Amino acid sequence: YEELHTFDLQAPTRLIEWAPENRICVAGYEESGRNEILQLVPPATLQVKETPSLFPERDFKVECGGFSERPVCSLKPVPGTRFLVTSGPPDSSLQLWQMPAEDSNVIECLSDIPTGNSPGQPWAKIATISAKAAWVLHGSRLNSVQITDVDSRKSVYLAASRSSEELSGLAFLDCSTLLLCCAQGQLCLADLRQPQRALEPVSMALEQGTERWCMAVRHGAQGSDWSSQPIARLSSAGHLILTDLRKILEPLASAKCRVPSPGSGAEFLCVTWAPALEGCLAVSGFDGTVHIYNSQSWSSPGLEAEPTFIHRGHAVGRGSSSDPPLVTAHTWHPQKPRTLLSAASDGSLHAWDWVQPDGKC
């Protein structure tokens, strides 16, 4: 490692989100009791692009926080505002939070954003944008996708679909285009300029069964065409597929991750694109490790890929525990190319920067 920072949270978290001014948001997901929502100030070495040889402060600090009466399974800051939006069981409603003013350190829950779904629906996946207005995209199933204006709490878009496929992820590609990923791996594009067009998931040559899938969108430089950016999908059996949205039925590349025990569970399944390293992805959710892969080295479709690097810090950090921790979330640093943050089920939070001896990826 070039740098490795550790921090013990009061409770396990399943998300790590970057907030304005290089702050980090985390939140608990336990079914019983109150769950903390915290904004952390990262160590000084994570707040600058160039790392000097010595910093007096190497710890995370809690800047402000609040409490949620429900598990927080998704959290997104609303760009350009002091708002956060969260979601979690037991239904698909959203919670709107406001970051504190300078004279306070309390993150305040303002209101619920109802979705009209009945109790028992899966918790809503969410994405935010502030291109036209402060919007939150949310939904638990394909026929429940909508966009809500954060300021007015009013729905500005409701997807037309007859499919009740469960969603595993959704994203704004730009201010008019949405990408949805179903838990069974199908993708669906939606155009806000055509609200009456029925959304139908695109079937692909995937092994349908007990596998569940998640996706990652790679955002290019500001002003670049989103259609040229690849989409990554990861299954609970460790299959990785890269897709060009202009040819959605023809995978760009595919590989098999080196996962310890493939299964049907996908509660913490996570794949992300490196923002500043071409072709690099991070994968977690199978055990106590985070794997880095270089997709440019995949020579043949479907073969097992060799990881570029494996972060084992969570797996070995608790000694001989009979219940090894599971990585619940990871994210890339927005400015430092090889720096990631990862969290695990034991409440550990790591920030790490690996050394690549051969200079690649």
Side-chain angles (χ1 to χ4, degrees):
Y1 292 96
E2 187 173 341
E3 290 285 344
L4 174 62
H5 302 270
T6 65
F7 183 74
D8 288 331
L9 300 166
Q10 292 297 314
T13 182
R14 66 175 295 161
L15 55 92
I16 309 170
E17 289 291 336
W18 286 96
E21 300 179 353
N22 266 344
R23 299 308 195 249
I24 301 163
C25 291
V26 298
Y29 62 89
E30 293 181 331
E31 292 287 344
S32 59
R34 304 171 77 193
N35 288 284
E36 283 188 306
I37 297 177
L38 300 176
Q39 180 165 285
L40 306 177
V41 180
T45 55
L46 297 183
Q47 299 185 56
V48 294
K49 292 185 178 181
E50 299 296 331
T51 303
S53 58
L54 181 65
F55 269 113
E57 183 57 65
R58 297 182 58 84
D59 293 329
F60 288 87
K61 290 185 177 180
V62 176
E63 185 172 53
C64 55
F67 288 96
S68 171
E69 299 298 334
R70 62 170 70 202
V72 181
C73 295
S74 186
L75 179 152
K76 297 292 180 183
V78 181
T81 75
R82 292 169 50 222
F83 295 132
L84 300 174
V85 181
T86 65
S87 65
D91 54 35
S92 61
S93 64
L94 310 181
Q95 290 70 53
L96 181 64
W97 303 77
Q98 187 171 47
M99 301 302 293
E102 293 183 1
D103 58 347
S104 173
N105 59 1
V106 178
I107 301 175
E108 181 184 2
C109 185
L110 299 180
S111 66
D112 281 1
I113 299 178
T115 59
N117 293 336
S118 59
Q121 289 284 335
W123 55 271
K125 311 311 182 286
I126 55 179
T128 55
I129 195 172
S130 291
K132 295 181 178 179
W135 284 355
V136 54
L137 167 66
H138 55 99
S140 58
R141 298 187 183 277
L142 198 56
N143 57 5
S144 69
V145 173
Q146 58 184 298
I147 295 175
T148 299
D149 183 283
V150 172
D151 293 318
S152 67
R153 321 287 201 271
K154 293 182 179 179
S155 177
V156 296
Y157 170 81
L158 182 62
S161 178
R162 296 181 295 274
S163 173
S164 61
E165 287 280 349
E166 183 180 350
L167 293 174
S168 63
L170 37 71
F172 284 99
L173 297 179
D174 58 29
C175 60
S176 300
T177 313
L178 316 176
L179 180 65
L180 317 172
C181 181
C182 298
Q184 294 298 313
Q186 308 99 315
L187 295 176
C188 184
L189 279 169
D191 192 329
L192 303 186
R193 295 161 295 190
Q194 299 175 321
Q196 302 305 316
R197 182 180 177 184
L199 302 184
E200 295 296 337
V202 177
S203 298
M204 296 158 294
L206 300 175
E207 294 183 9
Q208 300 296 328
T210 58
E211 289 186 53
R212 293 174 66 85
W213 295 74
C214 65
M215 76 165 180
V217 176
R218 188 179 192 277
H219 295 284
Q222 189 172 6
S224 62
D225 182 7
W226 57 261
S227 64
S228 64
Q229 299 300 321
I231 306 300
R233 278 169 294 162
L234 171 69
S235 83
S236 54
H239 295 109
L240 260 173
I241 295 179
L242 308 186
T243 303
D244 185 331
L245 291 177
R246 296 166 295 188
K247 298 180 179 180
I248 202 167
L249 296 177
E250 302 176 16
L252 284 173
S254 63
K256 180 72 166 56
C257 295
R258 186 182 295 176
V259 297
S261 54
S264 58
E267 183 179 6
F268 303 116
L269 200 63
C270 184
V271 57
T272 57
W273 284 103
L277 297 175
E278 192 69 29
C280 279
L281 306 106
V283 167
S284 68
F286 296 97
D287 57 12
T289 65
V290 182
H291 287 205
I292 309 296
Y293 290 94
N294 179 8
S295 64
Q296 296 177 323
S297 67
W298 297 350
S299 56
S300 301
L303 295 181
E304 183 174 272
E306 185 72 22
T308 300
F309 182 81
I310 302 176
H311 175 61
R312 295 186 172 91
H314 297 283
V316 302
R318 296 306 186 197
S320 58
S321 172
S322 59
D323 187 18
L326 174 68
V327 172
T328 56
H330 74 261
T331 187
W332 295 80
H333 194 287
Q335 286 92 35
K336 290 176 172 289
R338 285 198 302 271
T339 299
L340 291 92
L341 280 77
S342 53
S345 56
D346 60 354
S348 59
L349 175 66
H350 290 183
W352 42 280
D353 188 341
W354 85 93
V355 176
Q356 184 63 25
D358 58 10
K360 298 179 181 178
C361 190

